[in-house]
Amino acid sequence: MKLSLTATGLLLLLVSASCQAITLKLDPEIELLVLDGRKISGSLLKGAGSLELERGQHQFLFRVEKPGADAAHFQSVPMIVTFNANAHSVAIRLPALNNRRERTTFDKTLNFQLIDERGMEITSLRDHLPKESDSDFEKAMVNYNRDAHAASVPRFALHSLNAGEAQLNMDYAWQDVSDLPSLQGWFKRFDAATRLRFISWMKTLRTS
């Protein structure tokens, strides 16, 4: 009975979370590498044109890739953008990237726009990863967020470093149904990618 009530409560929590969510619209040419300090898996983004985010502060590491043969192929440097999300939707509007000059300017100046559902620009902080950064993007973002860079968010470094301990605590808490943590606290223990999968799953259930 307790387990059933817990499941019902979790469903209500997820429905509520989805109602408050912000839609991140993804351009097919944008590769999202790290979200809020967490690496984004290919399976999460496969075939997805958007992701659901909570309201509040977020940080993306992304790059742009335009396929083409040899010199026509373009992959930008990894770019960081940090912002506070209060709109209904967020999208990254890219400049023209049709020639070498436009692409070089983009890599150097980060001249993209973060816009809401009305096409209004959202205030953001932008930066590049330091050139000496680790090839592991999640680890590189932990190091970036530890330091006082232009778009650093220190708490995203902390929750990445404590991920193993949080997972251990969550596993232990679920061993005894009679000693479950509160649903709100339990839900918050998941990383951003896992929360997004839960919310997407709930939206599928609601429309099926």
Side-chain angles (χ1 to χ4, degrees):
M1 182 62 179
K2 286 185 179 181
L3 187 57
S4 176
L5 290 174
T6 298
T8 301
L10 178 59
L11 293 179
L12 291 174
L13 176 64
L14 292 173
V15 170
S16 175
S18 65
C19 291
Q20 295 297 319
I22 296 167
T23 301
L24 169 64
K25 297 182 178 180
L26 299 171
D27 187 292
E29 295 177 345
I30 292 176
E31 181 183 7
L32 189 58
L33 302 170
V34 179
L35 168 61
D36 297 345
R38 300 287 192 178
K39 181 180 178 180
I40 300 297
S41 67
S43 60
L44 177 64
L45 296 178
K46 187 177 181 180
S50 64
L51 290 175
E52 300 300 317
L53 304 176
E54 297 176 354
R55 292 184 182 274
Q57 188 178 44
H58 293 284
Q59 181 191 65
F60 307 148
L61 175 70
F62 73 95
R63 63 187 172 196
V64 175
E65 184 161 7
K66 295 178 73 71
D70 300 326
H73 181 86
F74 170 67
Q75 185 180 77
S76 74
V77 298
M79 303 178 177
I80 302 166
V81 58
T82 298
F83 64 98
N84 282 298
N86 294 303
H88 294 295
S89 69
V90 175
I92 298 173
R93 178 186 287 168
L94 300 173
L97 298 170
N98 300 317
N99 55 55
R100 181 176 296 179
R101 180 180 59 82
E102 292 172 343
R103 294 172 178 184
T104 299
T105 299
F106 178 62
D107 274 343
K108 289 181 177 179
T109 66
L110 311 177
N111 59 334
F112 60 88
Q113 289 183 306
L114 202 65
I115 59 172
D116 63 17
E117 67 278 1
R118 298 173 297 172
M120 301 296 292
E121 187 166 6
I122 298 170
T123 301
S124 63
L125 300 173
R126 308 173 191 194
D127 203 1
H128 299 93
L129 273 180
K131 291 183 179 180
E132 67 276 9
S133 291
D134 196 287
S135 58
D136 180 334
F137 288 123
E138 185 175 40
K139 183 178 178 182
M141 286 305 297
V142 169
N143 294 331
Y144 179 89
N145 284 320
R146 282 177 179 172
D147 301 323
H149 293 293
S152 291
V153 184
R155 65 188 178 89
F156 292 151
L158 291 174
H159 80 214
S160 294
L161 291 172
N162 295 330
E165 182 180 351
Q167 182 63 47
L168 178 62
N169 291 338
M170 184 175 69
D171 291 343
Y172 177 78
W174 277 94
Q175 288 177 7
D176 185 353
V177 175
S178 65
D179 192 32
L180 287 174
S182 68
L183 288 174
Q184 187 73 27
W186 177 81
F187 184 68
K188 287 182 178 179
R189 292 187 183 190
F190 286 109
D191 58 52
T194 303
R195 292 186 194 182
L196 294 175
R197 284 194 290 270
F198 266 118
I199 293 171
S200 296
W201 173 63
M202 278 304 304
K203 292 183 72 174
T204 300
L205 290 180
R206 293 174 68 191
T207 56
S208 61

